[in-house]
Amino acid sequence: MRELSIPEKNVFLDKQSGKDFERPQYKKLVRRLKPDDLLYIKSIDRLGRDYGEILEQWRILTNEKGIDIVVLDMPLLDTRRGKDLMGTFLSDIVLQVLSFVAENERTNIRQRQAEGIAAAKTRGVRFGRPPKPLPENYHSAYQRWKSGAITGTVAARECSMPLSTFRYRAEIYEKAKLL
């Protein structure tokens, strides 16, 4: 974008996934676009990763907003050229192929991620933050709570933990005692 001398204020960059078009910077960009503006996109998968939504957004931007779009890494996707029937036809074909590839790549990424997580779990990898050790007084507070001598709120306070954490840990504690 710098090579094209686009002012920094006209560069919109979302830091979240392109899985949908509910992105703050994308919405801001669309609001600012006026007829006859020119939109540069680095790559079609930077626009989005959902086949149908990419095609719909392309239609909205070019037909309803009346802007031209240039996809920098795919010179065939330049709506300024070939405004005739053949140019439009070629752009539509390329757009559909690239939209399909973008969505397919997203699907593949999610599948590889799921496979990686499953493989890690079978190797015994634990995800998330390791649990804090139980406080020394947990057993006595748990016993008094279980017998009804004190409430869960009091037991949790004695153990310096939120009530939800006390109950969650009590569930694990009970299962561990059964094993």
Side-chain angles (χ1 to χ4, degrees):
M1 298 298 163
R2 284 189 188 106
E3 289 173 15
L4 296 168
S5 301
I6 296 173
E8 204 62 37
K9 68 179 179 116
N10 291 342
V11 175
F12 296 84
L13 178 68
D14 276 305
K15 296 190 188 247
Q16 65 191 70
S17 168
K19 69 178 181 170
D20 61 33
F21 289 89
E22 296 301 314
R23 304 184 312 258
Q25 289 295 306
Y26 180 75
K27 287 180 170 183
K28 186 176 176 183
L29 163 76
V30 172
R31 281 193 306 271
R32 288 195 42 202
L33 289 170
K34 300 179 298 303
D36 298 323
D37 277 352
L38 177 59
L39 173 63
Y40 286 100
I41 299 171
K42 182 183 181 310
S43 174
I44 199 70
D45 67 340
R46 299 296 86 208
L47 178 61
R49 297 257 173 104
D50 179 278
Y51 176 77
E53 285 190 40
I54 291 173
L55 298 177
E56 177 64 12
Q57 288 299 312
W58 189 276
R59 186 193 63 73
I60 289 169
L61 294 172
T62 57
N63 295 347
E64 292 179 19
K65 288 279 189 180
I67 67 161
D68 280 313
I69 301 175
V70 175
V71 179
L72 296 174
D73 70 351
M74 184 52 60
L76 284 173
L77 285 177
D78 183 343
T79 60
R80 297 173 302 177
R81 294 191 205 135
K83 296 258 185 195
D84 61 348
L85 186 59
M86 181 58 82
T88 303
F89 173 70
L90 288 174
S91 287
D92 286 350
I93 288 174
V94 172
L95 176 63
Q96 289 190 23
V97 168
L98 292 178
S99 299
F100 168 79
V101 169
E103 182 170 344
N104 195 44
E105 180 59 20
R106 178 171 172 254
T107 302
N108 290 339
I109 288 169
R110 293 180 76 193
Q111 181 179 351
R112 287 191 298 265
Q113 180 184 31
E115 289 168 358
I117 290 170
K121 284 183 177 180
T122 59
R123 290 191 316 269
V125 174
R126 285 185 41 98
F127 291 90
R129 182 174 36 177
K132 288 183 179 177
L134 289 174
E136 288 181 25
N137 65 337
Y138 186 84
H139 180 73
S140 65
Y142 170 82
Q143 293 298 333
R144 290 184 295 134
W145 169 68
K146 206 61 178 162
S147 69
I150 59 174
T151 65
T153 304
V154 171
R157 195 174 303 125
E158 283 181 15
C159 294
S160 301
M161 59 176 55
L163 177 58
S164 59
T165 303
F166 180 82
R167 288 182 177 155
Y168 172 73
R169 298 299 292 265
E171 217 177 286
I172 295 170
Y173 190 72
E174 289 166 3
K175 287 178 185 171
K177 283 176 30 180
L178 294 174
L179 297 177

